[in-house]
Amino acid sequence: MTDFNLLSRRRSFFYVFVSIVALVYFFRLVQLQVVYEDEYGKRSDENSLRAVVRSPLRGYIYDRNGTLIVDNRPSYTVTVTPAEFDRSRLGYLAEILSADTALIQGRIDRGRAVNRFAPARVMRDVDFPTLAFLEEHRDRLPGVEYLVESKRFYPTKARAAHLFGYTTEVSDAQVQAMPDEYKSGDLIGATGLESKYERFLRGKKGYSFITVNARGESQGQYNGGLSDIAVTEGDDLYLNIDAGLQAVAESLMADKRGAVVAIDPATGGVLAIVSKPDYDLSLLGGVTPADLWTQLNSDPAKPLFNRATMTRYPPGSTVKMMLAAAALEDHVVSPSWGVNCTGVFQFGRRPFRDLHVHGNTGFVQSIQKSCNVFYYQLMLKVGLERWNRYGKMFGFGSPTGIDILEENSGLLPSAGYFDRVYGKGKWTQGYLVSLAIGQGEMGVSPLQMASYAGAIASRGYWHTPTVVGRIRVKESGTWIDNTVQTRRIEVGDDVWRIIREGMDRCVNSEGGTASLARVPGIRVAGKTGTAQNSRVKDHAWFVGFAPVDDPKIAIAVLVENSGYGGTHAAPIASRCIEQFLTGTITPRIIYSPPVAASDSSGEAH
Amino acid sequence: MDTLFSGGMGRQSRPAGLGAMDIKERFAFLDPVIPVCVMLLVLIGIASVYSATYDAGASQYFNRQVIWASAGFLLMVAIWLLPFRTLQMISYPAYALSIVMLLAVLVAGKTVAGTRSWFGIGGFGLQPSEFVKVTTLMALASYLSYRHLDRGRFSELATTFGIVLLPFGLIVLQPDMGTAVIFLGALFMILVWAGAPVFLLLSIAAPAAAAVATLFNTTVFLFVISSTLVLLFVMRSNRLLSSMVFSLTVLVGVSVQYLFNQLAPYQQKRILTFLNPDADPLGAGYNVIQSKIAIGSGGIFGKGFLHGTQTQLNFIPAQWTDFIYCVPSEEFGFAGAFLVLALLTAVLLRGVQIASTVKSRFGSLLAIGIVSVLTIHVIINIGMVMGIMPVIGVPLPFMSYGGSSLLTSMIMAGILLNLHRNRKEY
C-alpha cells in the first residue's frame, strides 16, 4: 500500500459502508421488535391458534308426560378441506357419495371462499358403508374427512311433521346477520318448533383452542385447555302435547285430509295438533334431496301445508254457539225465545233451507239439532256489528298467537269488510243470513275452532294456545315457563248453561247431530258443522269438549271434502277424547257413510 | 495493534489492569475478535438449527451441523497456521479446481429445488458454488496483487472481469441467482479497494442500478439515468467513453424491462412480490410475511428457547437454511437479534481493519474480498428476512444450516486469521 491517503479513504469507505448497513438493520429490528411488537405478536397468535368449534346438540323435545319425542342420533358428515383437496378427484368423490358433481363442487367452492384451510361439509348423514369405503380410499382422496354430528330422531309414533318442523343449512344471509351464532354449513330451524324455538334449541357453540403448524396440523391443546370455551347444549322443550294422543289422532287421520287440534281448556296448552297429509321429517334432517323437495312441493295434496293453522274454511254450524251467546248475553231476545221451524226461511225472494222440519225450537234444541231457521232469524235480530264483536271475543278473525310460526288469521266479516268488497250500500241483510250458520265469507282454522271450544268448555276463558309448556335451560339448569295469556269472555253463567246444555244434548240426546262423538263412560259435549263447498264434497267439522262437568280436553276436527261433520269428524273426536282421558280406545262400530248423503248441499249441519 | 481498531472492539475486550503492550504481545499471532465472534455465531447458529428442526429431540440437521462446525473449526485453525505464502501459491490451482467442479456439477450434479448445484458425497451434499467464492477471491487477489487498474489497461481489466465472470456464468447456469449477485457485488467492492478509477466504478454501477431501477417504475429509472448523466458530466472524462457508458446504462435498463416482459408470469410475480410481499400472502410473499411476524412477535426478550410459535410450528418453510435469523429473533427477541447483528458487524469491521493493516497487497485484497462477500451475504440475508430486501436465496454466514456454506464461512474466517498472523509480511 503506497498511497496512505488512498488507503485511508478506502478504509473509511468500508467502515462507513458496513456501519451504515448495521445501523439501518438495527433500526429495522427496533421497528419490527419494539415499535410493532404488539401487531406482530397478535398476528403470530392468530397464525398458530385455531379455534375448533364444538357444535352443541340441539335441545331435546319432550311431551307433557316427559316422554322423549324428538331425540338426537349420531350422523356422519363428510367434509372436504379445500386447500388439501385434489380437484381431479372431484368426480371420484361425487361417485362414492352418489351425489351430483356440481353439488359437491359448489360446496367445496363455498368452503374455499370462507376458509380454504377449514373443512367444509359436503354431505350430511352419510351411511356407514360409504364412510367405510371413504376410509379405505383416503390416500386417494386428500383433504376428505368426516365429522360425527347429530341428526334428529323421532322415537315415538308421533310424526308431528308440521309441529316439530325441520332444520336446514343456514343461508349466507343468515350467516351474515348472525356471524357469532352461525357459520356456513351449520343447521338452523326452518319450520315449526325447530324454527320458532331456534334460539333455545341451538345451544351455544364451544371452542377448543389448539395450536397448529403451518400445515394446519394440530400440535396439541393451547394453554392446557384452560382457555377453552365449553359447549352449551341446546335447551330442552317440554311440550303440552300428549304424544299418545298426537299419535292416535295422526293415525285416525291417516287416510284423510284435514286437521285435529286438541287443547287443555284450563290453560290453552295444545294437547295435539295434527295436519294431514304430512311428510316424513326423518327424510329432511339437514340436506333435503332436490327430488324429494320437488315431490313434496308439487304434490296436489299439499303435504307441506299446515292445515291445522293455515286453512281458512267456513266453520259451518259449529259457529252457532257464538251467535247464541251474543243474542243471550246482550238480551237481544229472551232465553225462552224460539221459532217454529218449517224447514225453510223465506228472506225476501230467496228461500234459505233447513235439512229438517224442526217445529218449535228454543236455544237448546237449536244447538242440539242444528236448526238453521232459528239462526237465520236470530242473526237478523243480533245484527252484523254485534255478531262481529262476539266473533272477535271468541278469537275469530285474528291469529291466536300460538307459538308456531305459520298461522292464518282467518276472516271475520264486518260491515267495513262488506263495504270494501262489495261497495257501500251494495250488500244486503241477506249476506248475514249465510253468516248465521257459518257459511259464506267467514273463514276459520281448526286451531281457532279448538280455542273456541276451549272457551266454551271453560265458561269464558279464552287462552292463547301454547305448544311449549316449559323450557329447561341447560346453562343455568333453570326452567322457563311459557306465559299463558288469558282473555275473559264476558258472558254470564246462565248463558253458558244454555249453550253447554245444547252441546251436551247434541251428542247425548236423541235427535242430536253428534251422537257419534259419544265415548263410553265419559260425557262429551259438542257441535257438528258442515262447511259448504261449491263443487267438491263438503268439509266436515266437529268441535267439543269432555268431560262435560269438568272439561279436560277441548277439540276441533276438520275432515276436508268428506261430508257431514256428524258422520266424519265426530267419530275422530270421540276416539281422541277417549285416548286422552283413558289412555285406550274401546272397539266400537265405525260408521260407514250412507251413499250420496251429502248431495243436498246448501244448508249446514 | 492498529490504532483504528483499538478505538473499537479491542478496547471493550481488554481486561482491566493490562498494559497496551501486553495485549499486543498476547494477540500477536491470534486476532481475538474474529475467533470469539465466529464461534459465538456458530454456536448460536447450531442452537437455532436445533430449535428450528426440533421435534421431540435433536434432529439429523442438528447432528450434521455439529459435525460440520467441528470440521470447520479444525479447518479454520489449520488455515490460520498455514505459512504466509501458501495461500497465494495455491490460488490459481485452487481456482482451476473449483471451476472444474462447477462444470462437473452442471453435468453430473443433483438438482435440489430446481437448482443443479449439488454433489452427493456419501450422505452429505457438497455445493461447489460456495467454495468457488473463496477460490475466486484468491485468484482475483493474486492477479491484482501486482497490477494496478488505474493504468486503465484493457487486457488487465478484461482478465480481472474474466476471473469473476467465468464462475459467475457457470453459477447463473445452475441457476443460483443469489450466489451470482454476490460475485458481482464482491467484484465491485474489490475494484474499489484495488484503486480502480471512479469512472470505471461508475460504468459498472450505473447499468446495474438502471437494471434494478427499471423493475420498480419509470420514475426511479429516469432518476438513475439522470443521476448517471450528471455524474458523467461532473467527471469530465473522455466524451466518447462517457457517452458509451450512458448509452450502456439506458440500454441495460430498457433491455431488462424487455426481458422482464419476456419472463413467465410466475417469474415476474416473484420479482414483483419483493416490492410488495403482502400482495401475495400465500405465494411468493409468504416466507417474508411469516419471517417478519416471527421477528416482530419476538419483542424485546423473545418467547424463549424452543417456545417460538412461528419457529416451532414450522410457519417458515426450510427456516434452518436461509431464514435462520428468525430463530434467535423470535426466541430471544431484540436481545438475540441484536447480538447476532452485532457479532456479524464486529467480524466485518475487524475484517476491514485487517485488510487495511496487512502489508502484502495480495493479503489486503483477499481480506477485503472476504469482507465484501460476507457483507453482501449479511445484507441480502438479514435484509430479506426483515423484509427490506428481495427474497434471494443466500445463506447467513456462520449460522445457516448447510455444510458447504458453514465450511466456506469458516475457511474465510481462517484466512482472515492467517492474514492477520502474517500481517507484517510483504
Side-chain angles (χ1 to χ4, degrees), chain A residues 1-2 6-7 9-11 13-19 21-26 28-30 32-34 36-38 40-45 47-48 50 116-117 211-215 219, chain B residues 4 189 192-193 282 286 289-290 292-293 295-297 299-300 303 309-310 313-315 325 329 333-334 337-338 341 345 348-349 352-353 356 364 368 372 375 378-379 382-383 386-389:
Chain A
M1 296 293 137
T2 47
L6 179 65
L7 172 68
R9 259 167 46 206
R10 289 176 302 180
R11 192 170 58 191
F13 170 81
F14 275 87
Y15 275 132
V16 169
F17 181 71
V18 170
S19 302
V21 168
L23 265 182
V24 167
Y25 283 18
F26 170 80
R28 176 63 172 170
L29 275 181
V30 171
L32 287 175
Q33 299 193 296
V34 182
Y36 291 121
E37 183 198 347
D38 291 347
Y40 284 113
K42 188 164 159 277
R43 288 177 70 178
S44 163
D45 288 346
N47 238 356
S48 52
R50 289 276 185 283
R116 67 197 195 99
F117 296 108
T211 49
V212 296
N213 64 12
R215 288 185 300 281
Q219 305 289 299
Chain B
L4 260 174
M189 291 171 85
V192 171
W193 190 259
L282 294 168
Y286 175 81
I289 290 172
Q290 295 300 340
K292 276 161 68 181
I293 292 174
I295 296 172
S297 63
I300 295 172
K303 300 175 184 170
T309 49
Q310 292 285 103
L313 303 172
N314 302 328
F315 277 94
Y325 188 64
S329 304
F334 180 72
F338 175 73
L341 185 62
T345 309
L348 297 177
L349 289 174
V352 177
Q353 206 263 326
S356 45
S364 180
I368 210 66
S372 304
T375 303
V378 170
I379 290 175
I382 297 186
M386 296 197 302
I388 52 178
M389 284 296 252

Side-chain angles (χ1 to χ4, degrees), chain A residues 10-11 13-19 21, chain B residues 137 140 144 149 160-161 164 181-196 200-201 204-205 348 352 355 364-380:
Chain A
R10 289 176 302 180
R11 192 170 58 191
F13 170 81
F14 275 87
Y15 275 132
V16 169
F17 181 71
V18 170
S19 302
V21 168
Chain B
L137 290 176
L140 200 58
L144 289 175
L149 292 172
T160 304
F161 277 77
V164 176
V181 165
I182 282 164
F183 271 85
L184 287 187
L187 172 63
F188 184 81
M189 291 171 85
I190 289 169
L191 288 176
V192 171
W193 190 259
L200 175 65
L201 297 175
I204 300 170
L348 297 177
V352 177
S364 180
L365 284 165
L366 183 54
I368 210 66
I370 287 170
V371 169
S372 304
V373 166
L374 292 178
T375 303
I376 298 168
H377 268 105
V378 170
I379 290 175
I380 293 181

Side-chain angles (χ1 to χ4, degrees), chain A residues 225-243:
Chain A
L226 294 176
S227 308
D228 291 0
I229 298 169
V231 63
T232 307
E233 307 295 0
D235 302 332
D236 296 340
L237 305 184
Y238 284 76
L239 308 186
N240 294 319
I241 297 286
D242 182 298

Side-chain angles (χ1 to χ4, degrees), chain B residues 46-332:
Chain B
I46 288 174
S48 300
V49 169
Y50 179 81
S51 177
T53 60
Y54 180 83
D55 183 17
S59 66
Q60 276 302 304
Y61 295 94
F62 169 77
N63 296 335
R64 288 184 191 172
Q65 188 78 345
V66 169
I67 293 170
W68 281 319
S70 310
F73 179 75
L74 294 177
L75 258 178
M76 189 169 79
V77 171
I79 292 171
W80 168 50
L81 295 172
L82 282 179
F84 175 58
R85 294 291 162 203
T86 317
L87 281 175
Q88 192 161 6
M89 277 163 52
I90 64 168
S91 288
Y92 290 133
Y95 177 73
L97 180 66
S98 61
I99 294 294
V100 170
M101 282 166 73
L102 271 187
L103 284 168
V105 86
L106 275 179
V107 178
K110 280 198 301 181
T111 302
V112 175
T115 299
R116 189 173 277 267
S117 64
W118 292 79
F119 275 129
I121 300 174
F124 293 85
L126 199 67
Q127 260 183 304
S129 57
E130 288 294 326
F131 299 105
V132 166
K133 287 171 189 166
V134 182
T135 59
T136 305
L137 290 176
M138 287 164 70
L140 200 58
S142 207
Y143 181 76
L144 289 175
S145 63
Y146 50 90
R147 286 174 183 84
H148 291 276
L149 292 172
D150 49 359
R151 287 179 303 194
R153 278 204 193 143
F154 181 75
S155 62
E156 288 180 356
L157 259 183
T159 312
T160 304
F161 277 77
I163 288 171
V164 176
L165 289 180
L166 177 60
F168 170 83
L170 292 174
I171 288 166
V172 167
L173 287 177
Q174 287 181 350
D176 178 356
M177 292 317 291
T179 308
V181 165
I182 282 164
F183 271 85
L184 287 187
L187 172 63
F188 184 81
M189 291 171 85
I190 289 169
L191 288 176
V192 171
W193 190 259
V198 180
F199 182 81
L200 175 65
L201 297 175
L202 181 67
S203 57
I204 300 170
V212 175
T214 190
L215 293 175
F216 280 85
N217 57 48
T218 319
T219 318
V220 179
F221 176 63
L222 289 176
F223 174 76
V224 168
I225 293 286
S226 43
S227 309
T228 308
L229 200 61
V230 169
L231 284 171
L232 287 170
F233 184 75
V234 168
M235 281 176 197
R236 294 169 188 276
S237 186
N238 180 310
R239 278 187 191 169
L240 179 69
L241 278 176
S242 293
S243 52
M244 278 174 64
V245 168
F246 183 71
S247 313
L248 182 69
T249 305
V250 175
L251 193 69
V252 166
V254 171
S255 49
V256 163
Q257 183 64 55
Y258 174 78
L259 285 173
F260 179 79
N261 291 334
Q262 301 303 305
L263 288 175
Y266 78 90
Q267 291 169 315
Q268 294 183 346
K269 197 171 165 186
R270 203 180 260 187
I271 292 167
L272 293 175
T273 298
F274 156 60
L275 304 175
N276 183 13
D278 290 291
D280 184 18
L282 294 168
Y286 175 81
N287 289 18
V288 175
I289 290 172
Q290 295 300 340
S291 70
K292 276 161 68 181
I293 292 174
I295 296 172
S297 63
I300 295 172
F301 296 111
K303 300 175 184 170
F305 188 55
L306 299 181
H307 284 93
T309 49
Q310 292 285 103
T311 300
Q312 300 307 323
L313 303 172
N314 302 328
F315 277 94
I316 306 154
Q319 190 186 8
W320 49 93
T321 60
D322 295 349
F323 283 83
I324 195 78
Y325 188 64
C326 297
V327 182
S329 304
E330 186 186 20
E331 300 195 338
F332 299 104

